[in-house]
Amino acid sequence: MAGSTFGTRFTITTWGESHGEAMGVVIDGCPAGLSLQPDDIQAFLDRRKPGQSKFSTARQESDRAEILSGIFEGRTTGAPISIIVKNKNQLAKDYDKIKDCYRPGHADYTYDRKYGFRDYRGGGRSSGRETIGRVAAGAVASKILAELGIKIITYTRSIGSIIVPVSDYHYEQINENIFYMPNNRYAKKASDYLEDSIKRNDSAGGTIECIVTGMPSGIGEPVFHKLDAALSSAIMSIGAVKGVEIGDGFDASFTSGSKNNDTFCIENEQIIKNTNHSGGILGGISDGSPLILRAAIKPTPSIPQAQKTVTIDGNETTITISGRHDPVIVPRAVVVAESMTAVTILDMLMQNMSARLDDLKDFYH
């Protein structure tokens, strides 16, 4: 199976299946000398692990990270970093009744068409549990970015029809509620909304917003590897994501050039923009403004409702999916989107180091 590696200079390769022995990631290209402890990675993994509330899967996993290589005396050596997280609470029998059916909204059918064989236990590689490796790598990338003064803040902007207005953002409240929303009052509304969805044996989708501050200008590789293209590719590679916006995104198509253009001015002898409709990227290159992106997350496809489908033998049937599934994916996906953003930006920063001859001269002389 190709396609499990992401990045050019800072690369990550995730491995493992939902109901296999373990999940993990191999990180290559991490600079030597970074102070790194298992707790640095655990802090990220704890944000996505299951069983955090009644609105997440009841699967109980500690998701404890073990670093197998690339670390000596608490610092990175420059060698590949291998991280493993063992699966402890697999219940493959939950899938025995539906192993020959194509679950609506899942990758069962397409995996069969591509490989002629699939791991029906939770979807194998197509499971959201694959994101464990991404999050572990994101923890490492984020720590390097912090050394450079780059900060990423990510949160749930909406769940179903419950949308937090920008005017009501309170970033200090993000970690005060189970949905990672920047407003506790709207988190309560989201809770009521999901309670109703659960009563109807249904699920909900939502949106995630990510803001990156401290970004230097000049990052991005035109023409085919623009910063926004790379970020879109990274975020869209997350299984539940169905759309990505940068800056004003689709709203830009409903306005005019005179309103959408970000005009420039001088402030404290620096060139800045008066607005940020572009989301911090012009021509595929960072402009020094905060980078803003959004991801649209689809509703959880595994719902305890009778749904029409077909079997691998081509017979029509009806299935009701039981087991342990999130009624909403969004809160646990927040740290996944943040991690893929961090990995992408770090990779682009490393690529940018050879963009100017003067920079090479300064480094080697």
Side-chain angles (χ1 to χ4, degrees):
M1 180 184 292
S4 292
T5 299
F6 180 86
T8 301
R9 301 289 179 84
F10 184 88
T11 66
I12 67 171
T13 301
T14 68
W15 55 269
E17 293 79 39
S18 171
H19 284 64
E21 290 298 314
M23 313 293 295
V25 64
V26 177
I27 305 167
D28 204 4
C30 180
L34 175 71
S35 174
L36 187 66
Q37 306 294 329
D39 285 350
D40 295 323
I41 297 164
Q42 199 61 50
F44 270 60
L45 290 176
D46 285 348
R47 291 166 61 193
R48 76 145 300 275
K49 73 179 181 181
Q52 297 185 58
S53 76
K54 62 182 177 180
F55 299 119
S56 67
T57 172
R59 179 171 176 171
Q60 295 297 313
E61 296 280 5
S62 61
D63 285 350
R64 300 304 301 178
E66 299 177 45
I67 302 175
L68 303 181
S69 66
I71 307 293
F72 181 66
E73 295 182 342
R75 293 186 177 274
T76 56
T77 64
I81 300 169
S82 184
I83 300 168
I84 184 174
V85 174
K86 294 179 181 177
N87 293 328
K88 302 287 188 180
N89 194 218
Q90 310 98 310
L91 289 179
K93 63 181 178 60
D94 285 347
Y95 297 91
D96 287 346
K97 293 185 294 183
I98 59 172
K99 66 179 182 179
D100 294 326
C101 299
Y102 295 130
R103 294 170 297 167
H106 286 271
D108 300 344
Y109 173 70
T110 49
Y111 265 59
D112 256 0
R113 293 299 295 169
K114 182 172 180 64
Y115 298 108
F117 180 76
R118 64 182 170 87
D119 184 347
Y120 62 82
R121 304 167 305 167
R125 286 291 286 163
S126 67
S127 167
R129 193 153 175 78
E130 176 271 333
T131 60
I132 282 176
R134 299 168 184 248
V135 172
V140 177
S142 293
K143 190 156 193 188
I144 297 173
L145 293 180
E147 295 275 342
L148 303 174
I150 297 173
K151 181 181 178 182
I152 304 176
I153 183 170
T154 315
Y155 46 87
T156 297
R157 187 188 187 205
S158 70
I159 289 178
S161 61
I162 310 302
I163 306 171
V164 183
V166 176
S167 59
D168 267 347
Y169 280 3
H170 299 281
Y171 296 122
E172 72 279 2
Q173 296 181 18
I174 291 172
N175 293 314
E176 294 179 359
N177 60 80
I178 58 176
F179 301 117
Y180 300 109
M181 295 183 107
N183 187 302
N184 291 331
R185 185 162 51 89
Y186 280 86
K188 176 60 171 63
K189 292 181 180 181
S191 178
D192 294 340
Y193 180 92
L194 286 172
E195 290 278 13
D196 182 61
S197 293
I198 292 171
K199 289 177 183 177
R200 293 183 283 104
N201 292 327
D202 218 335
S203 60
T207 57
I208 292 170
E209 191 164 75
C210 180
I211 300 178
V212 185
T213 57
M215 276 289 291
S217 57
I219 307 301
E221 300 294 323
V223 170
F224 295 113
H225 298 283
K226 295 180 172 73
L227 179 57
D228 40 2
L231 286 167
S232 298
S233 175
I235 300 300
M236 281 296 292
S237 74
I238 301 168
V241 174
K242 302 304 291 183
V244 178
E245 289 186 335
I246 306 291
D248 284 1
F250 282 94
D251 285 346
S253 66
F254 301 110
T255 186
S256 60
S258 59
K259 294 178 180 178
N260 183 248
N261 288 343
D262 297 313
T263 56
F264 292 98
C265 66
I266 299 294
E267 185 177 281
N268 297 325
E269 300 183 353
Q270 298 291 321
I271 297 175
I272 65 166
K273 299 185 308 182
N274 289 300
T275 54
N276 193 23
H277 299 296
S278 67
I281 302 174
L282 292 169
I285 302 171
S286 62
D287 61 26
S289 303
L291 195 157
I292 302 171
L293 67 85
R294 277 168 234 98
I297 310 294
K298 72 176 184 178
T300 312
S302 291
I303 55 175
Q305 269 188 39
Q307 299 180 86
K308 293 181 178 180
T309 188
V310 298
T311 66
I312 59 176
D313 298 320
N315 298 313
E316 293 186 349
T317 187
T318 300
I319 63 170
T320 300
I321 299 175
S322 59
R324 305 165 299 176
H325 307 287
D326 301 78
V328 63
I329 299 171
V330 182
R332 292 177 62 208
V334 166
V335 70
V336 182
E338 182 175 317
S339 295
M340 290 307 295
T341 298
V343 168
T344 304
I345 290 174
L346 178 57
D347 189 41
M348 283 289 195
L349 285 166
M350 289 182 171
Q351 292 181 57
N352 194 64
M353 292 175 68
S354 61
R356 295 188 180 193
L357 179 59
D358 286 346
D359 292 339
L360 285 172
K361 287 180 177 179
D362 288 344
F363 184 83
Y364 285 107
H365 285 166

